[in-house]
Amino acid sequence: MDSFFVITSLLKIVGILFIVILPMVSYAVYAERKVSAAIQDRLGPNRVGPAGLLQPIADMFKLLLKEDFTPRAANTFYYWLAPCLAVMPAIITIAVVPFGSTLFGVPMVIADVNVGILFVFAIASLGVYGIVIGGWASNSKYPFLGGIRSSAQMLSYELSLGLAVIPVFLLVGNLRLTSVVRYQIEHGWFIAPFIGDWTNPWKWLLAIPMIVSFLVFTIAIFAETNRLPFDLPEAEQELAGGYNTEYSSMKFSLYFLGEYAAMITGSAVIVTLFFGGWHFPAIPDGSHGWIFGLINIAVFFAKVAIIIFFFMWVRWTLPRFRYDQLMRLGWLFFFEIALVNIFIVAAILPFIQS
Amino acid sequence: MTITVPRPKLNWRERLYLPAIVAGLAITFKHFKNLLLGRTKVTMQYPEQKWDTNLPDYYRGAPALVRDEDGRVRCVACQLCEFICPPRAIKIIPGEIPSEDRFAKVEKYPEAFDIDMIRCIFCGMCEEVCPEQAIFLRKDYAITGYTRADMVHHKEKLLEIGGVMHGVVLKWNKKK
C-alpha cells in the first residue's frame, strides 16, 4: 500500500472528523439554540463566554458528569450498543462526500468510491438499528413505542430518498460523488440547470423535475434524521417517552449529537448533489494553487451551514405531522412523485445530451 | 346543538401546501431578521437590568419587622403570625418586658423571632393577621445564602430590613 496515500488519508480522517465534524456537531447545538431564540424573539445563551460561545463546553461538562445508570430490567449489552449504532452511520457517511477540490494535489475526499451514493444510502439505512435496538433494549413501554414508530418512519422515507435522486444520476452517468460535482461545474448546478446555458429550452424544462427532486430529497432527509416536521419519535419526550427515555449522561448525549451529526451529513449530501458541492462560480479548483483549495473547502462548509440554517428554520416554522399523515405522505405522495419524476427526466434526457 | 363545521375544499395551490409553507417561512425569517437588526427589545438582561422600579405597591417580597417613631419594636409576641403561617416558617420565643421599662404597659416582646426564608412562601398572611401592624412584606425578592443556616432571618436582620414605619396606629401610647 502506498504510504503517501495512507498518511494523507489518516490526516484527512483526523482533520475532517475530529477537527471539523465533531466541533461542528457541538456548535450545531449552540446554533440551534441561538437560531430558535432569534425566531422566537428572544436571545439564546449569551452568558457563558462572549455571546455564549463556550456554552457547548459547559454542556459537555454537565453531560459527562451526570449519573450514568443502567435500568435493571434492560438488556445490558444492547442497551450500551444502541447509542453507538445511532452515531456511527452519520459519521461514516461523511467519508464519501467531497468537501473540497484538491489541496497540494491530494483530493479532498476521504474515500472516492465509485458507488458513492449507494454507500450513502446503505449506511443511512443502518441508522434505523440504533433507534430500534435502543427502544427495544430499554425494556419499557414508551421507548418501545417511540422506537417502533421511528423505525417505521425511517424505513418508509428511505424509499423516497433513493428514488428522488435517481434523476441526478441519470444525468451524470455514474454514481461517483466527485463526478456529480464535476458535472455541475461544467453544466450548472442541478438546482438551476439553466445557468450558463440560458438559451437552451430543454435546460429550463429540466429545472422543474430537478426542483421536485430537490424538494423530495430534502423532505426525505428531514424524515430520516427525525427532524421536525417529522419528529414524532422525539416529540414523545414532550408527551411521554421516546426511545431515549431510559438513557442518561453520555449515552443520551450520543443520541442527541448523533441526530445533529446526521443533519450535518444530510446537508453535506444535499449540497453535493444539488448545489454544486465545493464549486463557486469564478473560483477555480485546487489545481491552480493551494489557496484555491482552501477557498473551495470554505465554500463547501459555508453552503452546508446555510442548509443547516434552513433545517433549523423549518423546524421552528412548521407543526409536526401526525403519525398516520406522515406514513401516508411517505408511501403514497412522495413515492409516486419520485417515480413520475424519474420518467420525466428520462424523457427529457435525449434532448439534453444531443 | 349540532353545529356543522364548514370544511372548505382547498384549491390546487392550497393543497400543494408549499405556498403556505413559504409564507410561514417568511414570517419566521422576519422575526429572525428583526432580532439580528436589534429591533426586538423583549429580553431583559437580568442582573444588569432589573424591573424593581416597576414593582406594584402591593408586591409581596420578604417579611420584615418594624419599629415605630419612638424606637419601640412594635411586635408584642402574640404569635398569631406563627399560628397562621402556612409553611410554619416563623418561630417566636416571647419574653416579658421588665416593669421599669418605658413600655412596661405592653408587657410582652419577642425575645427571638426567626423566619426561615427557605420555608417562607411570601403569601402575606402574617402581615394580614398582625394586630399590631408590626410585620410587613417588603419589596426584595432575591434572598440567597450558602447554607441553610444562612437563610434563617433572625430578629436583628428583620428589624434591619424593616426600619422605621411612620403612620402606624399608636394604640399603646397614653390616651390624652
Side-chain angles (χ1 to χ4, degrees):
Chain A
M1 181 66 78
D2 182 14
S3 65
F4 177 74
F5 175 71
V6 170
I7 293 177
T8 49
S9 293
L10 278 175
L11 277 175
K12 276 187 283 193
I13 291 174
V14 167
I16 265 298
L17 191 59
F18 290 101
I19 302 179
V20 179
I21 294 291
L22 288 183
M24 207 163 156
V25 167
S26 332
Y27 279 89
V29 181
Y30 168 75
E32 163 107 51
R33 289 172 74 170
K34 287 295 250 187
V35 165
S36 64
I39 291 180
Q40 295 167 351
D41 285 342
R42 56 186 175 91
L43 306 170
N46 61 351
R47 293 280 161 185
V48 191
L53 281 170
L54 295 179
Q55 182 75 33
I57 317 269
D59 281 342
M60 179 184 78
F61 277 120
K62 178 199 88 166
L63 282 171
L64 278 175
L65 296 173
K66 269 194 183 180
E67 180 194 357
D68 191 47
F69 72 93
T70 310
R72 196 160 12 119
N75 190 337
T76 320
F77 174 66
Y78 290 109
Y79 183 81
W80 281 77
L81 185 65
C84 317
L85 286 179
V87 175
M88 181 201 60
I91 298 184
I92 289 184
T93 322
I94 209 76
V96 288
V97 171
F99 50 89
S101 51
T102 53
L103 195 62
F104 303 115
V106 176
M108 283 285 111
V109 51
I110 299 177
D112 193 14
V113 293
N114 50 5
V115 288
I117 198 68
L118 273 185
F119 182 84
V120 170
F121 293 148
I123 303 291
S125 309
L126 289 181
V128 185
Y129 276 120
I131 296 184
V132 167
I133 293 182
W136 191 262
S138 297
N139 203 355
S140 162
K141 291 190 275 286
Y142 294 116
F144 164 65
L145 280 174
I148 296 290
R149 282 193 179 187
S150 168
S151 66
Q153 169 192 319
M154 289 172 84
L155 278 175
S156 19
Y157 281 87
E158 267 163 32
L159 258 164
S160 317
L161 194 74
L163 288 176
V165 281
I166 289 184
V168 170
F169 294 99
L170 278 177
L171 283 173
V172 174
N174 60 10
L175 295 175
R176 213 184 257 267
L177 286 175
T178 40
S179 318
V180 171
V181 178
R182 289 257 158 242
Y183 188 94
Q184 290 187 70
I185 295 175
E186 289 156 31
H187 296 92
W189 297 354
F190 280 127
I191 191 76
F194 38 79
I195 293 182
D197 201 2
W198 300 94
T199 54
N200 190 346
W202 295 107
K203 285 289 174 75
W204 286 90
L205 194 60
L206 187 64
I208 302 174
M210 278 297 145
I211 290 183
V212 170
S213 169
F214 165 66
L215 284 173
V216 175
F217 187 69
T218 306
I219 294 174
I221 292 276
F222 272 102
E224 280 296 306
T225 54
N226 284 341
R227 286 292 284 189
L228 255 145
F230 299 100
D231 76 341
L232 211 58
E234 296 181 346
E236 303 224 74
Q237 278 172 295
E238 301 165 40
L239 307 172
Y243 55 87
N244 40 17
T245 318
E246 303 283 343
Y247 286 95
S248 61
S249 146
M250 210 55 214
K251 300 201 269 297
F252 172 77
S253 69
L254 273 179
Y255 265 122
F256 190 60
L257 295 178
E259 182 195 319
Y260 284 94
M263 189 171 80
I264 292 177
T265 305
S267 310
V269 174
I270 291 178
V271 164
T272 308
L273 291 177
F274 292 101
F275 286 97
W278 43 261
H279 174 249
F280 196 76
I283 295 185
D285 67 12
S287 55
H288 297 263
W290 57 271
I291 188 74
F292 294 117
L294 285 177
I295 294 180
N296 286 333
I297 297 180
V299 165
F300 178 79
F301 282 112
K303 289 187 198 176
V304 170
I306 294 178
I307 302 284
I308 291 178
F309 170 71
F310 179 69
F311 268 61
M312 295 175 185
W313 187 17
V314 169
R315 178 186 185 163
W316 295 103
T317 304
L318 295 178
R320 75 172 59 92
F321 279 110
R322 212 173 57 217
Y323 193 64
D324 60 324
Q325 292 170 338
L326 198 153
M327 298 303 277
R328 195 172 151 269
L329 268 183
W331 286 101
L332 298 182
F333 193 65
F334 289 126
F335 183 46
E336 293 172 351
I337 287 199
L339 272 181
V340 168
N341 208 23
I342 300 177
F343 289 126
I344 294 180
V345 171
I348 299 180
L349 197 57
F351 301 101
I352 300 282
Q353 286 175 342
S354 65
Chain B
M1 285 281 309
T2 50
I3 306 175
T4 311
V5 176
R7 287 189 190 264
K9 291 210 76 75
L10 306 172
N11 61 26
W12 70 272
R13 268 190 314 265
E14 287 168 354
R15 285 174 61 177
L16 199 58
Y17 290 117
L18 278 177
I21 293 179
V22 171
L25 286 175
I27 294 176
T28 41
F29 192 72
K30 185 165 64 100
H31 280 272
F32 182 72
K33 182 175 61 80
N34 279 347
L35 191 110
L36 285 184
L37 293 176
R39 292 192 212 148
T40 311
K41 295 202 188 308
V42 179
T43 309
M44 195 184 319
Q45 303 277 11
Y46 172 65
E48 290 93 22
Q49 301 165 346
K50 292 193 210 200
W51 223 32
D52 286 2
T53 49
N54 289 58
L55 291 173
D57 289 331
Y58 40 82
Y59 184 79
R60 301 200 299 263
L65 286 175
V66 297
R67 294 178 190 273
D68 66 5
E69 288 125 346
D70 293 331
R72 174 175 77 87
V73 178
R74 287 188 63 80
C75 174
V76 294
C78 65
Q79 296 175 300
L80 270 172
C81 54
E82 182 175 2
F83 188 72
I84 204 171
C85 177
R88 317 255 181 89
I90 303 183
K91 283 194 180 14
I92 300 177
I93 299 181
E96 194 180 340
I97 295 185
S99 29
E100 306 80 38
D101 196 277
R102 179 156 72 109
F103 297 111
K105 190 157 178 253
V106 181
E107 287 175 24
K108 261 175 102 178
Y109 82 106
E111 218 169 85
F113 194 113
D114 296 338
I115 302 188
D116 188 355
M117 292 313 290
I118 299 182
R119 286 193 177 210
C120 175
I121 59 174
F122 303 96
C123 59
M125 306 202 84
C126 51
E127 179 180 342
E128 241 182 270
V129 83
C130 180
E132 298 292 320
Q133 285 180 314
I135 183 167
F136 290 92
L137 257 57
R138 289 291 181 229
K139 294 257 193 322
D140 47 335
Y141 46 80
I143 320 281
T144 54
Y146 281 101
T147 60
R148 289 195 188 187
D150 279 346
M151 297 282 284
V152 175
H153 284 189
H154 299 294
K155 187 167 79 154
E156 297 72 29
K157 175 102 172 125
L158 288 171
L159 283 169
E160 176 198 329
I161 309 176
V164 176
M165 178 73 90
H166 299 273
V168 285
V169 174
L170 301 169
K171 60 176 169 176
W172 291 106
N173 288 16
K174 282 192 169 48
K175 300 268 198 294
K176 288 205 232 321

